[in-house]
Amino acid sequence: MIRLTTRRPVLFLAMVVVALIVLFPLRLALGLIDMGAQGLSAREVTGPVWAGGLNDAHYGDIALGDLDAGLSPLQLAIGRARIDVAGAGTSGDQALRGALSVSRSTFGVDDVTATLPASSAFAPLPIAALRFDDVSVHFRDGNCASAEGKVTALIASTMPQLTLPPSLSGTARCSGGTLLVPLASQAQTESIAVSIEADGKYRATLTARPADAAAAAALAGAGFQPSGGGYSLRIEGRF
């Protein structure tokens, strides 16, 4: 028989510490690392920090649905708080997976794959949803430090003056300290250039080349401006 020689008060204290670590609420952890300042919100946060849940989660105005969420202990050991998330998503055709990470000087997202409704985030641009394929983006000290992965904008039929393909795609990258997502059609005749700052401010410019004078007049009537052989419509906002 092996006898446990640890004194009872010490053992009890150790058990309490372990229980506190294991059962520490995810809600408090998200508050401590200030994920809300990065745009993440939820109607309800449940469960412990290692295996909790976000009900009716949003990133800015973009709905994420109900998510399983947990803090990565391995990333925490190297000084980075990483919240891994997974859920059914809101589009009905693609599950959501990925992570949000924060450290002393960086924040961003890792390996995000999802199809998310754009809602009115880019109105009046006709973007119905955004599809992400293994997208990772990190900002360091307010500047875009790294970005990769494919982004596809699914187009809605909300602009009768403009005939757009069903989707525009491009690869995320950093440019001049901002996140740039250049989306274009296969024919390269229509494009939407999206640039995003670290504080959530964004600019999106839709550019099209009208086929004839009547189409050009229709675009001008919709607020498009002549730009480099085509017509452009620019919007600005914040997530």
Coordinates of all heavy atoms in Angstrom, one line a residue, residues 47-111:
G47 N -20.4 27.9 -19.5 CA -19.4 26.9 -19.3 C -18.0 27.4 -18.9 O -17.7 28.6 -18.8
P48 N -17.1 26.4 -18.6 CA -15.7 26.7 -18.2 C -14.9 27.2 -19.4 O -15.2 27.0 -20.5 CB -15.2 25.4 -17.6 CG -16.0 24.4 -18.4 CD -17.3 25.0 -18.7
V49 N -13.7 27.8 -19.0 CA -12.9 28.4 -20.0 C -12.3 27.5 -21.0 O -12.1 27.8 -22.1 CB -11.7 29.2 -19.2 CG1 -10.8 28.2 -18.5 CG2 -10.9 30.0 -20.2
W50 N -12.2 26.2 -20.6 CA -11.6 25.2 -21.5 C -12.6 24.6 -22.5 O -12.2 24.1 -23.5 CB -10.9 24.1 -20.7 CG -10.0 24.6 -19.6 CD1 -10.2 24.5 -18.3 CD2 -8.8 25.4 -19.8 NE1 -9.2 25.2 -17.6 CE2 -8.3 25.7 -18.5 CE3 -8.1 25.9 -20.9 CZ2 -7.2 26.5 -18.3 CZ3 -6.9 26.6 -20.7 CH2 -6.5 26.9 -19.4
A51 N -13.8 24.6 -22.1 CA -14.9 24.0 -23.0 C -16.2 24.7 -22.7 O -17.1 24.1 -22.1 CB -14.9 22.5 -22.7
G52 N -16.4 25.9 -23.2 CA -17.6 26.7 -23.0 C -18.4 26.9 -24.3 O -18.2 26.1 -25.3
G53 N -19.2 27.8 -24.2 CA -20.1 28.1 -25.4 C -20.4 29.6 -25.5 O -20.5 30.3 -24.5
L54 N -20.6 30.0 -26.8 CA -21.1 31.4 -27.1 C -22.4 31.2 -27.8 O -22.5 30.7 -28.9 CB -20.1 32.1 -27.9 CG -18.6 32.2 -27.4 CD1 -17.7 32.9 -28.5 CD2 -18.6 32.9 -26.1
N55 N -23.5 31.7 -27.2 CA -24.8 31.6 -27.8 C -25.1 32.9 -28.5 O -24.9 34.0 -28.0 CB -25.9 31.3 -26.7 CG -25.7 30.0 -26.1 OD1 -25.1 29.1 -26.7 ND2 -26.1 29.8 -24.8
D56 N -25.6 32.8 -29.8 CA -25.9 33.9 -30.6 C -24.7 34.9 -30.7 O -24.8 36.1 -30.4 CB -27.1 34.7 -30.0 CG -27.7 35.7 -31.0 OD1 -27.4 35.6 -32.2 OD2 -28.4 36.6 -30.6
A57 N -23.6 34.3 -31.1 CA -22.3 35.1 -31.2 C -22.3 36.0 -32.4 O -22.9 35.7 -33.4 CB -21.1 34.2 -31.2
H58 N -21.7 37.2 -32.3 CA -21.5 38.1 -33.4 C -20.1 38.6 -33.4 O -19.4 38.7 -32.4 CB -22.4 39.3 -33.3 CG -23.9 39.0 -33.6 ND1 -24.7 38.3 -32.7 CD2 -24.6 39.4 -34.6 CE1 -25.9 38.2 -33.2 NE2 -25.9 38.8 -34.4
Y59 N -19.6 38.9 -34.6 CA -18.4 39.7 -34.8 C -18.8 41.0 -35.5 O -19.1 41.0 -36.6 CB -17.3 38.9 -35.6 CG -16.0 39.7 -35.7 CD1 -15.1 39.7 -34.7 CD2 -15.7 40.5 -36.9 CE1 -13.9 40.4 -34.7 CE2 -14.5 41.2 -36.9 CZ -13.7 41.2 -35.9 OH -12.5 41.9 -35.9
G60 N -18.8 42.0 -34.7 CA -19.4 43.3 -35.2 C -20.9 43.0 -35.5 O -21.6 42.6 -34.6
D61 N -21.3 43.4 -36.7 CA -22.7 43.1 -37.1 C -22.9 41.8 -37.8 O -24.0 41.5 -38.3 CB -23.1 44.3 -38.1 CG -23.2 45.6 -37.4 OD1 -23.4 45.6 -36.2 OD2 -23.0 46.6 -38.1
I62 N -21.8 41.0 -37.9 CA -21.9 39.7 -38.6 C -22.2 38.6 -37.7 O -21.5 38.4 -36.7 CB -20.6 39.4 -39.4 CG1 -20.3 40.5 -40.4 CG2 -20.6 38.1 -40.0 CD1 -19.0 40.4 -41.1
A63 N -23.3 37.9 -37.9 CA -23.8 36.8 -37.1 C -22.9 35.6 -37.3 O -22.7 35.1 -38.4 CB -25.3 36.5 -37.4
L64 N -22.5 34.9 -36.1 CA -21.7 33.7 -36.2 C -22.5 32.5 -35.7 O -22.1 31.4 -35.9 CB -20.5 33.9 -35.2 CG -19.6 35.1 -35.5 CD1 -18.5 35.1 -34.5 CD2 -19.1 35.1 -36.9
G65 N -23.7 32.7 -35.1 CA -24.5 31.6 -34.6 C -24.0 31.1 -33.2 O -23.3 31.9 -32.5
D66 N -24.4 29.9 -32.8 CA -24.0 29.4 -31.6 C -22.7 28.6 -31.8 O -22.5 27.8 -32.7 CB -25.1 28.4 -31.0 CG -26.4 29.1 -30.7 OD1 -26.3 30.3 -30.5 OD2 -27.4 28.4 -30.7
L67 N -21.7 28.9 -30.9 CA -20.4 28.3 -31.0 C -19.9 27.6 -29.8 O -20.2 28.0 -28.7 CB -19.4 29.5 -31.3 CG -19.6 30.3 -32.5 CD1 -18.6 31.5 -32.6 CD2 -19.5 29.5 -33.8
D68 N -19.2 26.5 -30.0 CA -18.4 25.9 -28.9 C -17.1 26.7 -28.8 O -16.5 27.1 -29.9 CB -18.1 24.5 -29.2 CG -19.3 23.6 -29.2 OD1 -20.3 23.9 -28.5 OD2 -19.4 22.6 -30.0
A69 N -16.6 27.0 -27.6 CA -15.4 27.9 -27.5 C -14.6 27.4 -26.3 O -15.1 27.0 -25.3 CB -15.8 29.3 -27.3
G70 N -13.3 27.4 -26.5 CA -12.4 27.1 -25.4 C -11.0 27.7 -25.6 O -10.5 27.9 -26.7
L71 N -10.4 28.0 -24.4 CA -9.1 28.6 -24.4 C -8.0 27.5 -24.7 O -8.1 26.4 -24.1 CB -8.8 29.2 -23.1 CG -7.5 30.0 -22.9 CD1 -7.5 31.3 -23.8 CD2 -7.3 30.4 -21.4
S72 N -7.1 27.8 -25.5 CA -6.0 26.8 -25.8 C -4.9 26.9 -24.8 O -4.2 27.9 -24.6 CB -5.4 27.1 -27.2 OG -4.2 26.3 -27.4
P73 N -4.7 25.8 -24.0 CA -3.6 25.9 -22.9 C -2.2 26.0 -23.5 O -1.3 26.6 -23.0 CB -3.8 24.6 -22.2 CG -4.6 23.7 -23.1 CD -5.4 24.6 -23.9
L74 N -2.0 25.4 -24.7 CA -0.7 25.4 -25.3 C -0.3 26.8 -25.7 O 0.8 27.3 -25.5 CB -0.6 24.5 -26.5 CG -0.7 23.0 -26.2 CD1 -0.7 22.2 -27.5 CD2 0.4 22.5 -25.3
Q75 N -1.3 27.5 -26.3 CA -1.0 28.9 -26.7 C -0.8 29.8 -25.5 O -0.1 30.8 -25.5 CB -2.2 29.4 -27.6 CG -2.2 28.7 -29.0 CD -1.1 29.0 -29.9 OE1 -0.6 30.2 -30.0 NE2 -0.6 28.0 -30.5
L76 N -1.6 29.5 -24.5 CA -1.5 30.3 -23.3 C -0.1 30.2 -22.7 O 0.5 31.2 -22.1 CB -2.5 29.9 -22.2 CG -2.8 30.8 -21.1 CD1 -3.3 32.1 -21.5 CD2 -3.8 30.1 -20.1
A77 N 0.5 29.0 -22.8 CA 1.9 28.8 -22.3 C 2.9 29.6 -22.9 O 4.0 29.9 -22.4 CB 2.2 27.3 -22.4
I78 N 2.7 30.1 -24.2 CA 3.7 30.9 -24.9 C 3.2 32.4 -24.9 O 3.7 33.2 -25.7 CB 3.9 30.4 -26.3 CG1 2.6 30.5 -27.1 CG2 4.4 29.0 -26.3 CD1 2.8 30.2 -28.6
G79 N 2.3 32.8 -24.0 CA 1.9 34.2 -23.9 C 0.9 34.7 -24.8 O 0.7 35.9 -25.0
R80 N 0.1 33.8 -25.4 CA -1.0 34.2 -26.3 C -2.3 33.6 -25.9 O -2.3 32.4 -25.7 CB -0.6 33.8 -27.8 CG -1.6 34.4 -28.8 CD -1.1 34.3 -30.2 NE -1.1 32.9 -30.7 CZ -1.4 32.6 -31.9 NH1 -1.6 33.5 -32.8 NH2 -1.3 31.3 -32.3
A81 N -3.3 34.4 -25.8 CA -4.6 33.8 -25.5 C -5.4 33.5 -26.8 O -5.6 34.4 -27.5 CB -5.4 34.8 -24.6
R82 N -5.6 32.3 -27.0 CA -6.3 31.8 -28.2 C -7.6 31.1 -27.9 O -7.6 30.1 -27.1 CB -5.4 30.9 -29.0 CG -6.1 30.2 -30.2 CD -5.1 29.4 -31.0 NE -5.8 28.4 -31.9 CZ -5.5 28.1 -33.1 NH1 -4.5 28.7 -33.7 NH2 -6.2 27.2 -33.7
I83 N -8.7 31.6 -28.4 CA -10.0 31.0 -28.2 C -10.4 30.2 -29.4 O -10.6 30.8 -30.5 CB -11.1 32.1 -27.9 CG1 -10.7 32.9 -26.6 CG2 -12.4 31.4 -27.7 CD1 -10.7 32.1 -25.3
D84 N -10.3 28.9 -29.4 CA -10.8 28.1 -30.5 C -12.3 28.0 -30.5 O -12.9 27.8 -29.5 CB -10.2 26.7 -30.4 CG -8.7 26.7 -30.5 OD1 -8.2 27.2 -31.5 OD2 -8.0 26.1 -29.6
V85 N -12.9 28.2 -31.7 CA -14.3 28.2 -31.8 C -14.8 27.2 -32.9 O -14.0 27.0 -33.9 CB -14.9 29.6 -32.1 CG1 -14.6 30.5 -31.0 CG2 -14.3 30.2 -33.4
A86 N -15.9 26.7 -32.8 CA -16.5 25.8 -33.8 C -18.0 25.8 -33.7 O -18.5 25.9 -32.6 CB -16.0 24.4 -33.7
G87 N -18.7 25.7 -34.8 CA -20.2 25.7 -34.7 C -20.7 25.4 -36.1 O -20.0 25.2 -37.1
A88 N -22.1 25.3 -36.1 CA -22.7 24.9 -37.4 C -22.8 26.1 -38.3 O -23.1 25.9 -39.5 CB -24.2 24.5 -37.1
G89 N -22.5 27.3 -37.9 CA -22.6 28.5 -38.7 C -24.0 28.9 -38.9 O -24.9 28.4 -38.3
T90 N -24.2 29.9 -39.8 CA -25.5 30.5 -40.0 C -26.0 30.3 -41.4 O -27.1 30.7 -41.7 CB -25.6 31.9 -39.6 OG1 -24.6 32.6 -40.4 CG2 -25.3 32.1 -38.1
S91 N -25.1 29.8 -42.3 CA -25.5 29.7 -43.7 C -26.2 28.4 -44.0 O -26.9 28.3 -45.1 CB -24.3 29.9 -44.6 OG -23.4 28.7 -44.4
G92 N -26.1 27.4 -43.2 CA -26.7 26.1 -43.5 C -25.9 25.2 -44.4 O -26.2 24.1 -44.6
D93 N -24.8 25.7 -45.0 CA -24.0 24.8 -45.9 C -22.6 24.7 -45.6 O -21.8 24.0 -46.2 CB -24.1 25.4 -47.4 CG -23.5 26.8 -47.5 OD1 -23.1 27.4 -46.5 OD2 -23.4 27.3 -48.7
Q94 N -22.1 25.3 -44.5 CA -20.7 25.2 -44.2 C -20.5 25.5 -42.7 O -21.0 26.5 -42.2 CB -19.8 26.2 -45.0 CG -18.3 26.0 -44.7 CD -17.5 26.9 -45.5 OE1 -17.9 28.0 -45.8 NE2 -16.3 26.5 -45.9
A95 N -19.9 24.6 -42.0 CA -19.7 24.8 -40.6 C -18.6 25.8 -40.4 O -17.8 26.1 -41.3 CB -19.2 23.4 -39.9
L96 N -18.6 26.4 -39.2 CA -17.6 27.4 -38.8 C -16.6 26.8 -37.9 O -16.9 26.1 -37.0 CB -18.3 28.6 -38.2 CG -17.4 29.8 -37.8 CD1 -18.3 31.1 -37.7 CD2 -16.7 29.6 -36.4
R97 N -15.3 27.1 -38.2 CA -14.2 26.7 -37.3 C -13.1 27.7 -37.5 O -13.0 28.4 -38.5 CB -13.7 25.3 -37.7 CG -13.0 25.2 -39.0 CD -12.3 23.9 -39.2 NE -11.8 23.7 -40.6 CZ -10.6 24.3 -41.0 NH1 -9.9 25.0 -40.2 NH2 -10.2 24.1 -42.3
G98 N -12.3 27.9 -36.4 CA -11.2 28.8 -36.4 C -10.9 29.2 -35.0 O -11.2 28.5 -34.0
A99 N -10.2 30.4 -34.9 CA -9.8 30.8 -33.5 C -9.6 32.3 -33.6 O -9.3 32.9 -34.6 CB -8.5 30.1 -33.1
L100 N -9.7 32.9 -32.4 CA -9.4 34.3 -32.2 C -8.2 34.4 -31.2 O -8.2 33.6 -30.2 CB -10.6 35.1 -31.7 CG -11.8 35.2 -32.5 CD1 -12.8 34.1 -32.1 CD2 -12.5 36.5 -32.5
S101 N -7.2 35.2 -31.5 CA -6.1 35.2 -30.6 C -5.7 36.6 -30.2 O -5.8 37.6 -31.0 CB -4.9 34.5 -31.3 OG -4.5 35.1 -32.5
V102 N -5.2 36.8 -29.0 CA -4.7 38.1 -28.5 C -3.5 37.9 -27.7 O -3.3 36.9 -26.9 CB -5.8 38.7 -27.6 CG1 -5.3 40.0 -27.0 CG2 -7.1 38.9 -28.3
S103 N -2.5 38.8 -27.9 CA -1.3 38.8 -27.0 C -1.1 40.3 -26.6 O -1.9 41.1 -26.9 CB -0.1 38.2 -27.7 OG 0.4 39.1 -28.7
R104 N 0.1 40.5 -26.0 CA 0.4 41.9 -25.6 C 0.4 42.9 -26.7 O -0.1 44.0 -26.5 CB 1.7 41.9 -24.8 CG 2.1 43.3 -24.2 CD 3.4 43.2 -23.5 NE 4.5 42.9 -24.4 CZ 5.1 43.7 -25.1 NH1 4.8 45.0 -25.1 NH2 6.1 43.3 -25.9
S105 N 0.8 42.5 -27.9 CA 1.0 43.5 -29.0 C 0.2 43.0 -30.2 O 0.3 43.7 -31.2 CB 2.4 43.7 -29.3 OG 3.1 42.5 -29.7
T106 N -0.4 41.8 -30.2 CA -1.1 41.3 -31.4 C -2.5 40.9 -31.2 O -2.9 40.6 -30.0 CB -0.3 40.1 -32.0 OG1 -0.4 39.0 -31.1 CG2 1.2 40.5 -32.2
F107 N -3.3 40.9 -32.2 CA -4.6 40.2 -32.2 C -4.9 39.8 -33.6 O -4.4 40.3 -34.6 CB -5.7 41.1 -31.6 CG -6.1 42.2 -32.5 CD1 -7.2 42.1 -33.4 CD2 -5.5 43.5 -32.5 CE1 -7.6 43.1 -34.2 CE2 -5.9 44.5 -33.3 CZ -6.9 44.3 -34.2
G108 N -5.8 38.8 -33.7 CA -6.2 38.4 -35.1 C -7.0 37.1 -35.0 O -7.6 36.7 -34.0
V109 N -7.2 36.5 -36.2 CA -7.9 35.2 -36.3 C -7.0 34.2 -37.0 O -6.1 34.5 -37.7 CB -9.2 35.4 -37.1 CG1 -10.1 36.4 -36.4 CG2 -8.9 35.9 -38.5
D110 N -7.3 32.9 -36.7 CA -6.4 31.8 -37.2 C -7.3 30.8 -37.9 O -8.3 30.3 -37.3 CB -5.7 31.2 -36.1 CG -4.7 32.1 -35.4 OD1 -3.8 32.6 -36.0 OD2 -4.9 32.3 -34.1
D111 N -6.9 30.4 -39.1 CA -7.5 29.2 -39.8 C -9.0 29.2 -39.8 O -9.6 28.2 -39.5 CB -7.0 27.9 -39.1 CG -5.5 27.9 -38.9 OD1 -4.8 28.3 -39.9 OD2 -5.0 27.5 -37.9

